[in-house]
């Protein structure tokens, strides 16, 4: 890793906040409104697929649902999820805002790249009032591109010379490596990686102060 980065690109769910309770409620509300979902999605199931591309989430949770019903349910859930995130939001991880303020004051440019649907990052900004710390963001829902491509796009668009990506899942690590960007593993999130797989780690957002 470089001794000095110029920017930090964050994943969202499992890295900046935990909105799995709200998202689970959205899935359950959508299920109650149709007659072809025969089980409730649990919060543990939502956490297990967090970080996957938005379209893949539904294929993992409802593998036997016919394609037409899967698409209809996905659209229904999308509306419910955005409403739940905007109304109830998630829980920012401890000391998130002081950490973002510290990084910003120390000269780091801050960004978000997430596998979420279009509009979800904005609900994070609305609920937490932390949008002013971030210079830009990109998500899967914009053009259905893999996270690695969205990381590359942010790097190119903003002329970043020494970025680092912070995420909480094996998928985040893979996207970082594919984009050629160093990776910091947020151990407090939803995924698991061994120290050998991800040697640079934080156990809470505040650890970024000592690491960078």
């Amino acid at each position: 890793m470089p001794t000095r980065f110029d920017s930090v690109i964050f994943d969202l769910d499992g890295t900046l906040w935990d909105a799995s309770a709200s998202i689970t409620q959205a899935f359950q509300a959508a299920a109650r409104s149709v007659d072809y979902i025969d089980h409730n999605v649990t919060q543990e199931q939502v956490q297990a697929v967090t970080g996957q591309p938005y379209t893949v989430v539904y294929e993992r949770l409802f593998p036997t649902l016919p394609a037409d019903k899967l698409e209809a349910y996905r659209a229904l859930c999308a509306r419910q999820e955005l409403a739940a995130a905007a109304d109830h939001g998630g829980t920012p991880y401890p000391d998130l805002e002081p950490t973002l303020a510290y990084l910003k004051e120390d000269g780091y440019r801050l960004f978000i790249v997430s596998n979420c649907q279009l509009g979800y990052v904005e609900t994070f900004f609305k609920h937490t009032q932390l949008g002013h710390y971030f210079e830009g963001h990109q998500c899967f829902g914009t053009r259905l591109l893999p996270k690695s491509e969205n990381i590359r796009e942010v790097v190119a668009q903003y002329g970043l010379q020494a970025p680092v990506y912070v995420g909480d899942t094996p998928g985040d690590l893979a996207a970082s490596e594919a984009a050629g960007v160093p990776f910091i593993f947020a151990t407090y999130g939803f995924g698991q990686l061994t120290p050998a797989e991800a040697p640079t780690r934080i156990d809470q957002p505040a650890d970024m102060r000592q690491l960078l």
Side-chain angles (χ1 to χ4, degrees):
M1 282 194 174
T3 56
R4 172 73 183 188
F5 298 106
D6 66 350
S7 50
V8 183
I9 308 172
F10 291 93
D11 173 53
L12 179 47
D13 287 307
T15 302
L16 297 177
W17 77 349
D18 178 0
S20 58
S22 295
I23 294 171
T24 302
Q25 291 173 7
F27 273 108
Q28 293 173 350
R32 290 192 296 270
S33 68
V34 298
D35 61 4
Y36 50 81
I37 301 295
D38 59 4
H39 67 281
N40 266 336
V41 174
T42 67
Q43 189 168 341
E44 290 75 18
Q45 288 174 317
V46 168
Q47 291 174 344
V49 297
T50 295
Q52 298 292 324
Y54 187 69
T55 52
V56 174
V57 166
Y58 295 87
E59 295 165 6
R60 296 283 176 86
L61 292 176
F62 307 99
T64 63
L65 205 60
D68 58 337
K69 290 184 177 179
L70 184 65
E71 186 58 38
Y73 186 64
R74 182 159 49 210
L76 180 60
C77 281
R79 295 191 295 271
Q80 294 276 6
E81 182 181 332
L82 286 180
D87 292 343
H88 307 293
T91 303
Y93 288 105
D95 294 320
L96 177 61
E97 181 164 14
T99 300
L100 295 176
Y102 169 85
L103 294 173
K104 192 82 168 176
E105 290 167 6
D106 204 31
Y108 292 97
R109 301 167 68 186
L110 307 182
F111 303 86
I112 293 174
V113 171
S114 169
N115 269 337
C116 61
Q117 65 166 306
L118 189 63
Y120 183 79
V121 176
E122 289 81 359
T123 66
F124 167 75
F125 291 155
K126 175 185 175 183
H127 187 77
T128 64
Q129 298 297 300
L130 297 178
H132 60 284
Y133 290 108
F134 296 93
E135 190 173 335
H137 59 89
Q138 188 54 274
C139 71
F140 176 78
T142 304
R143 288 183 291 152
L144 308 185
L145 293 175
K147 182 173 281 187
S148 58
E149 292 298 322
N150 285 328
I151 293 173
R152 287 194 192 99
E153 181 172 316
V154 166
V155 170
Q157 179 180 353
Y158 292 93
L160 308 183
Q161 299 301 309
V164 63
Y165 189 77
V166 184
D168 69 302
T169 68
D172 291 334
L173 171 61
S176 240
E177 290 177 338
V181 172
F183 180 70
I184 296 173
F185 178 48
T187 64
Y188 52 84
F190 301 134
Q192 295 186 356
L193 288 165
T194 67
E197 292 170 321
T200 306
R201 310 159 76 85
I202 55 173
D203 296 324
Q204 57 185 340
D207 290 347
M208 296 285 291
R209 304 187 198 187
Q210 288 74 44
L211 189 60
L212 299 185

